[in-house]
Amino acid sequence: MLQIPPKHLPYLHKIAEAAQEVAVDSYVVGGYVRDLLLGKGAKDIDIVCVGNGIDLAKAAAKRFPDNPKVVVFKNFGTAMFKADGFEFEFVGARKESYQRNSRKPVVEDGTLEDDQNRRDFTINAMAISLNEDFGQLIDPFEGQEDLRQGLIRTPLDPHTTFSDDPLRMMRAIRFATQLDFDILPETYQAISAMSDRLKIVSMERIIVELNKIILARKPSTGFKLLFNSGLLAQFFPEFCNLQGVDEKEGLRHKDNFYHTLQVLDNLSQNSDDLWLRWAAILHDIAKPPTKRFERGHGWTFHGHDALGAKMVPRIFRNLKLPLNDRMKFVQKLVALHLRPISLTKENVTDSAIRRLLFDAGDDIDALMLLCQADITSKNANKVKRFLENYEMVRQKLHQVEEKDRIRNWQPPISGDEIMATFSIRPSREVGILKNAIKEAILEGEIPNKYEDAYAFMLRLGSKIGLEANIENEEKFLENDPPSS
Ligand code: CTP
């Protein structure tokens, strides 16, 4: 008999009563049972019944307060409703593979045993009875023992289980990474042998698993398994290209694949932000295409920051990641990831600090976290020196921000105002003036004030042959800036 949390018992009793009403046997299955045995909380409760899952869902929903709305997926023979912050999903037992989100319609009904046979891993194939033997664990493949030993193993021959749904190869690695489990060698060998079958799986499904790996405590574990099994090459070749070390004239560069994974692990100790973790994954992505050997100097990767930022949108598009402000954030961090290190020099100027604050804006703290994670030297003294230098940069950033308030800053004169002042249409001149004002403030040539910027604009405008219209000039002379 399993210890079911007291809070969940009333739900399961309601479902058991509904199952009696529609005369089917029913069971809780999958992730709920696994997480219960692992002592983790669950938010989804999956129910399998030997019969029609949709009918059971409808009968069960009626027993919950406010009779929650049942959403039916007729093609898949599933139905679900939400109640009390939980999602209850119902399905009839089936003979063929169980795949959530699969487009394959259900064809053949089966027994509980058929259903368990067709699940992905022994630890996900356990069931709790909601019948006369309520609460009894049904564990035909010793999933409980695999949980104890920390093993990912398929219930059937792995080739059969993975042929049913090749995404399960990713899921094996995802669970191994999340739970810190080993994959049974026979199961892992099948993944290596069948890795190219992942090609038939949609990128939308792959990325869900990849993001779960990225959000694990130590994502490098998953990436190494993905790489070594050949799965990573199926959908993310740019990342595989980072692997390898070249040698010339006795000079070698570091292996950028393992370096990147170290950066990702370092960062993951300090941040749970998926997108900051993506920035770590992509920060050196352009090292392979920018790699050169310079005689007498060694290996260089000039411009890998700028090219890397340029590569981000295509990578996001290929991986079906969102093409929104999250992508822009990643792109920005990749573009700026070398900047803080250049500020660790002794005699760095305030204007260099202001520029970084301006370019990074509110993402400055994320950028500093990334750069700190980028220190992967094995030399403890070097690491200490780097960390101290970063602390110095942090202090300088803080001092300059206190003084000049550059973070979130917009130059005081807009393009519209420039056009109105000189009665010109959108043109190259507007850009030149706007940029010059920004540069003059960041360089400290003029104070960060409206009046100074306005005077600067008039001087520069007249230098490049623009005539200010009288009304505006008068306003300026009266020292009464137009509100904008
Ligand atoms: N399942 C499967 N094959 C898949 C996907 C799912 O056999 N490709 C089965 C497994 O039994 C799994 C259950 O469906 O336990 C529910 O799937 P899902 O909700 O995706 O995963 P969970 O196991 O609940 O884990 P998590 O909540 O961490 O995603």
Side-chain angles (χ1 to χ4, degrees):
M1 196 69 157
L2 266 183
Q3 270 305 55
I4 295 169
K7 187 175 175 238
H8 300 175
L9 268 179
Y11 309 143
L12 300 188
H13 281 303
K14 284 188 203 331
I15 294 164
E17 283 161 28
Q20 261 185 2
E21 182 192 319
V22 296
V24 294
D25 280 347
S26 65
Y27 307 85
V28 186
V29 286
Y32 178 87
V33 186
R34 178 197 68 225
D35 288 345
L36 187 66
L37 289 165
L38 285 171
K40 289 190 189 171
K43 47 189 184 341
D44 295 348
I45 302 186
D46 290 342
I47 312 288
V48 158
C49 70
V50 185
N52 188 320
I54 300 172
D55 290 346
L56 177 58
K58 288 179 179 161
K62 277 197 214 127
R63 293 165 191 270
F64 280 76
D66 303 329
N67 192 8
K69 185 173 168 328
V70 178
V71 184
V72 174
F73 306 95
K74 212 162 173 222
N75 269 354
F76 314 119
T78 64
M80 61 84 69
F81 62 81
K82 291 184 186 171
D84 251 4
F86 284 89
E87 259 184 36
F88 295 87
E89 183 163 327
F90 297 78
V91 63
R94 48 185 67 173
K95 268 204 165 68
E96 75 285 1
S97 169
Y98 179 89
Q99 297 169 35
R100 183 167 281 180
N101 302 330
S102 150
R103 289 195 192 95
K104 271 195 251 160
V106 188
V107 274
E108 222 184 327
D109 293 343
T111 61
L112 174 70
E113 198 186 337
D114 292 330
D115 193 280
Q116 286 177 301
N117 271 330
R118 286 304 189 179
R119 285 181 180 263
D120 53 3
F121 306 113
T122 58
I123 59 168
N124 289 342
M126 295 179 274
I128 301 172
S129 170
L130 299 182
N131 311 310
E132 273 156 28
D133 51 349
F134 186 97
Q136 195 65 44
L137 182 72
I138 303 160
D139 180 15
F141 310 107
E142 296 180 2
Q144 211 177 356
E145 183 54 26
D146 284 346
L147 271 186
R148 222 171 278 135
Q149 288 193 24
L151 261 190
I152 304 294
R153 174 209 308 262
T154 53
L156 304 179
D157 175 336
H159 299 88
T160 309
T161 302
F162 294 145
S163 291
D164 278 349
D165 178 10
L167 182 75
R168 290 169 168 175
M169 299 187 285
M170 291 280 304
R171 285 173 61 89
I173 291 173
R174 188 260 279 188
F175 284 116
T177 312
Q178 277 182 328
L179 302 172
D180 200 13
F181 278 19
D182 291 322
I183 300 175
L184 188 81
E186 195 194 322
T187 305
Y188 181 75
Q189 276 153 22
I191 298 177
S192 299
M194 299 174 65
S195 60
D196 64 332
R197 300 282 295 279
L198 192 70
K199 282 251 157 72
I200 64 163
V201 177
S202 74
M203 194 60 93
E204 285 83 354
R205 296 182 73 212
I206 292 175
I207 205 69
V208 169
E209 298 300 326
L210 186 67
N211 280 341
K212 286 185 177 175
I213 291 171
I214 293 171
L215 283 173
R217 204 180 49 81
K218 195 168 174 233
S220 65
T221 309
F223 273 102
K224 284 177 192 163
L225 289 167
L226 288 176
F227 181 72
N228 293 331
S229 64
L231 284 176
L232 195 60
Q234 307 301 322
F235 63 96
F236 197 3
E238 298 89 342
F239 198 46
C240 298
N241 289 344
L242 287 169
Q243 197 269 332
V245 179
D246 275 339
E247 180 168 343
K248 249 187 196 171
E249 298 176 5
L251 294 169
R252 293 154 63 87
H253 61 78
K254 64 183 165 207
D255 186 310
N256 288 304
F257 179 76
Y258 294 103
H259 162 70
T260 297
L261 292 185
Q262 179 69 59
V263 176
L264 178 59
D265 281 353
N266 289 349
L267 178 82
S268 300
Q269 290 181 9
N270 294 318
S271 170
D272 287 336
D273 182 323
L274 176 65
W275 305 107
L276 184 49
R277 291 185 182 199
W278 264 107
I281 292 166
L282 295 177
H283 79 287
D284 277 347
I285 200 72
K287 275 199 167 171
T290 54
K291 180 159 79 179
R292 305 277 177 275
F293 185 78
E294 287 175 13
R295 274 261 146 79
H297 178 68
W299 295 97
T300 65
F301 304 91
H302 292 309
H304 77 271
D305 42 349
L307 183 63
K310 251 175 122 174
M311 287 167 72
V312 169
R314 204 189 35 182
I315 291 174
F316 265 53
R317 202 170 307 121
N318 289 346
L319 294 176
K320 297 279 191 289
L321 287 164
L323 302 172
N324 57 14
D325 57 335
R326 300 293 76 202
M327 181 197 81
K328 293 244 165 68
F329 166 80
V330 172
Q331 209 175 8
K332 186 177 182 183
L333 262 60
V334 174
L336 297 179
H337 81 271
L338 298 176
R339 293 274 293 279
I341 192 123
S342 68
L343 300 181
T344 54
K345 294 183 206 107
E346 284 283 295
N347 50 357
V348 58
T349 59
D350 275 12
S351 75
I353 299 272
R354 270 197 297 272
R355 270 174 194 288
L356 181 60
L357 279 167
F358 179 73
D359 291 337
D362 269 347
D363 299 322
I364 188 74
D365 297 330
L367 179 66
M368 292 304 286
L369 276 179
L370 172 63
C371 291
Q372 204 163 310
D374 203 0
I375 307 169
T376 59
S377 168
K378 297 221 163 46
N379 178 334
N381 278 333
K382 244 184 170 176
V383 172
K384 189 165 167 273
R385 216 172 49 238
F386 270 123
L387 288 175
E388 282 167 4
N389 282 342
Y390 272 126
E391 205 32 58
M392 207 171 71
V393 174
R394 275 212 167 86
Q395 278 169 19
K396 281 189 201 159
L397 284 166
H398 186 71
Q399 284 160 7
V400 173
E401 173 60 16
E402 283 286 288
K403 184 158 65 78
D404 297 343
R405 299 272 166 224
I406 294 293
R407 205 171 154 161
N408 276 330
W409 171 76
Q410 284 300 319
I413 306 233
S414 70
D416 283 346
E417 191 170 355
I418 295 171
M419 290 190 277
T421 307
F422 297 106
S423 308
I424 53 175
R425 305 179 73 79
S427 56
R428 210 165 62 88
E429 280 78 10
V430 181
I432 292 175
L433 282 169
K434 220 177 132 180
N435 197 42
I437 296 167
K438 182 192 93 187
E439 290 291 312
I441 295 174
L442 290 176
E443 280 300 311
E445 287 165 17
I446 57 170
N448 180 15
K449 291 217 181 80
Y450 179 85
E451 293 79 9
D452 298 277
Y454 197 79
F456 178 85
M457 168 185 71
L458 291 181
R459 281 200 305 276
L460 190 65
S462 106
K463 248 193 229 163
I464 61 173
L466 296 175
E467 215 172 294
N469 71 49
I470 308 294
E471 198 192 335
N472 269 300
E473 212 163 5
E474 271 173 358
K475 270 192 184 163
F476 166 67
L477 291 173
E478 285 164 11
N479 212 359
D480 179 17
S483 55
S484 63

